[in-house]
Amino acid sequence: MTELNPNENDIEKRSSPPTDDGAPPISPPGPNLADPSSHPDKPTIRVSPGEMHLNCSDAEKVLADTGIYYSSGSGLLRIVKKAGGGITTELVNEQTLRTFLSASINWERKGRDNLWLRCDPPQGVVKVVCAL
């Protein structure tokens, strides 16, 4: 069950059309619940101190399972479709990799109350996997 954000009215106010200064509206955040059942098709990686090597290995397996990411002498590459047809490869940067890992994996870390909370992929894991 999703809990409502106690500041929901504040979020709605910030989600209004752009302001006079042209700043884009702020999108309301989604629920930050560590509930693997809400995304059963995505694997879950639990981030714990001292286990970065395991997190990197698990993230690498997810990339390999896609069939479009691979390691080359120049770094991490992915296969992309060209606009006019055909395929090519491109070097993957850290921002692209972090976005893909966030979308493809449920990342969790322990919170202060010892419950698992959703989080973003750790920057250390992104850097290591990007350098493969």
Side-chain angles (χ1 to χ4, degrees):
M1 177 163 101
T2 304
E3 294 180 15
L4 295 177
N5 187 330
N7 299 321
E8 185 174 305
N9 293 333
D10 293 339
I11 291 172
E12 288 175 10
K13 290 176 189 173
R14 291 182 289 145
S15 299
S16 58
T19 59
D20 292 337
D21 63 0
I26 298 172
S27 299
N32 190 17
L33 304 173
D35 182 9
S37 64
S38 65
H39 302 283
D41 54 328
K42 291 169 49 172
T44 297
I45 294 179
R46 290 187 161 177
V47 178
S48 297
E51 294 187 354
M52 187 171 84
H53 62 290
L54 298 174
N55 299 152
C56 292
S57 178
D58 291 341
E60 186 180 358
K61 288 175 190 171
V62 171
L63 289 175
D65 288 345
T66 67
I68 61 170
Y69 287 88
Y70 65 96
S71 181
S72 175
S74 59
L76 185 65
L77 300 174
R78 71 177 176 174
I79 300 170
V80 294
K81 292 181 182 179
K82 289 183 178 180
I87 60 170
T88 188
T89 60
E90 69 180 15
L91 191 60
V92 177
N93 62 34
E94 289 181 17
Q95 294 83 3
T96 301
L97 180 60
R98 188 174 178 121
T99 301
F100 177 81
L101 292 176
S102 179
S104 303
I105 300 168
N106 289 316
W107 293 86
E108 299 178 353
R109 63 168 174 75
K110 276 198 176 176
R112 291 184 180 170
D113 54 1
N114 232 18
L115 296 175
W116 289 100
L117 303 173
R118 292 193 61 196
C119 65
D120 292 321
Q123 191 63 33
V125 171
V126 174
K127 285 182 178 288
V128 169
V129 173
C130 204
L132 293 174

